[in-house]
Amino acid sequence: MASQSDFLAQLAVKLGNVLELSGGESVLDIATGTGRFARPIAERLTTGAVVGIDAAAAMLQVGREEIKKALFTRYFQIIGVAQTLPFEPESFDRVFVAFAFHHFVGPTEKIVREAYRVLKRGGRFVILDPVFEEPRDHVDYAVHNVVHQVFRRAHGEEFRFYSAAEIRAILQNGPWKETFAEIHRLSFDQTNPEGIPTARHWMEAAVELENQPDEVKRRFQENYFRYVKEGEGYRITGTLSYAMVCATK
């Protein structure tokens, strides 16, 4: 079982690899938050720098407090929104969005267009996000509906998990030259939720699915999450998926 911190660190390494950094790039992190992914990307740069933009000043402040001195010239923050980026066209060599695509309010196509606008020719845009399995039938849609109801109670009505194919389709509908996607999975079998991202919400979904038809409950357990009481404790098993979808301008 990989811990959450280890798994996220592995994803940060893979993100850097997909961005194809040589050290001198100017990189934009859209919805940077506390800089969880911006900092390891900045560490891979020598003469380049990461600019992180986010609408939440409090999260930027937390991120600022965690920046090592060595990164002061390689990671900068700015308050702003993804839908109207305050940068000139073709300002960045690379652009990425990590663990934020499912939170965006309004049409995500607008954010993708802005990423395209500020990216230089030949540059890469990468979306890293937790994803649903590609829906096959009405059972999958029923599962996704219950999961969304749980997450939206905490994160708002605009919250939405996509599948990797859906994210790639959004990019393919734009002017990008080429796209590809990688899927990375976190599997777990443990007696507590520690290390599982957003475990509390997945446990709530498991409880609510107890009232659903058996085929819906079974599909949820097969594809995502199983929460079973064992004596005075419980056992959690499952696999959560994360897509890294890349497009080239």
Side-chain angles (χ1 to χ4, degrees):
M1 190 275 291
S3 71
Q4 178 178 359
S5 59
D6 288 345
F7 182 70
L8 294 178
Q10 293 168 17
L11 285 180
V13 171
K14 294 179 185 297
L15 174 61
N17 294 341
V18 171
L19 286 169
E20 291 191 341
L21 302 170
S22 61
E25 291 83 5
S26 57
V27 183
L28 175 63
D29 176 11
I30 298 175
T32 189
T34 60
R36 175 188 292 171
F37 286 90
R39 290 193 299 275
I41 295 300
E43 288 173 353
R44 297 178 66 155
L45 302 176
T46 51
T47 58
V50 177
V51 175
I53 186 168
D54 202 288
M59 294 188 74
L60 291 176
Q61 180 60 35
V62 171
R64 191 68 184 170
E65 292 169 356
E66 295 182 3
I67 296 175
K68 299 175 184 176
K69 270 191 176 180
L71 294 182
F72 277 173
T73 60
R74 284 181 277 162
Y75 177 43
F76 304 92
Q77 299 171 322
I78 185 171
I79 296 176
V81 295
Q83 293 83 352
T84 53
L85 296 172
F87 306 109
E88 294 295 320
E90 301 194 8
S91 296
F92 296 93
D93 301 298
R94 305 287 187 270
V95 178
F96 72 90
V97 180
F99 280 70
F101 205 67
H102 56 283
H103 283 296
F104 286 135
V105 176
T108 51
E109 289 81 2
K110 188 171 184 179
I111 294 154
V112 171
R113 285 197 300 270
E114 277 292 273
Y116 185 90
R117 181 182 66 81
V118 302
L119 189 63
K120 295 178 183 178
R121 295 286 173 184
R124 283 193 162 191
F125 173 46
V126 180
I127 298 171
L128 168 58
D129 218 49
V131 291
F132 277 147
E133 296 297 316
E134 184 67 20
R136 296 170 290 170
D137 52 30
H138 73 281
V139 179
D140 280 324
Y141 284 110
V143 169
H144 295 173
N145 182 55
V146 172
V147 173
H148 273 147
Q149 287 177 6
V150 170
F151 275 82
R152 285 169 179 166
R153 285 200 294 266
H155 301 288
E157 287 301 312
E158 297 288 341
F159 184 101
R160 179 188 171 182
F161 284 129
Y162 295 85
S163 69
E166 287 174 325
I167 296 175
R168 192 174 181 188
I170 291 170
L171 294 173
Q172 288 174 331
N173 285 335
W176 304 92
K177 285 185 178 178
E178 59 183 48
T179 65
F180 68 86
E182 298 178 357
I183 303 294
H184 303 278
R185 304 186 192 280
L186 173 65
S187 296
F188 41 88
D189 182 350
Q190 56 198 79
T191 56
N192 62 70
E194 184 178 352
I196 303 172
T198 60
R200 178 173 63 86
H201 298 325
W202 288 102
M203 292 174 70
E204 289 175 13
V207 171
E208 294 200 11
L209 278 154
E210 288 295 324
N211 300 319
Q212 296 291 320
D214 287 343
E215 60 178 356
V216 176
K217 181 170 64 175
R218 187 164 52 249
R219 184 71 59 83
F220 173 77
Q221 293 173 346
E222 290 171 353
N223 286 355
Y224 304 107
F225 199 91
R226 191 163 185 259
Y227 167 56
V228 180
K229 287 192 173 295
E230 290 186 349
E232 296 182 358
Y234 51 83
R235 185 159 216 88
I236 301 172
T237 60
T239 300
L240 300 179
S241 299
Y242 303 82
M244 205 169 293
V245 187
C246 178
T248 303
K249 181 172 178 178

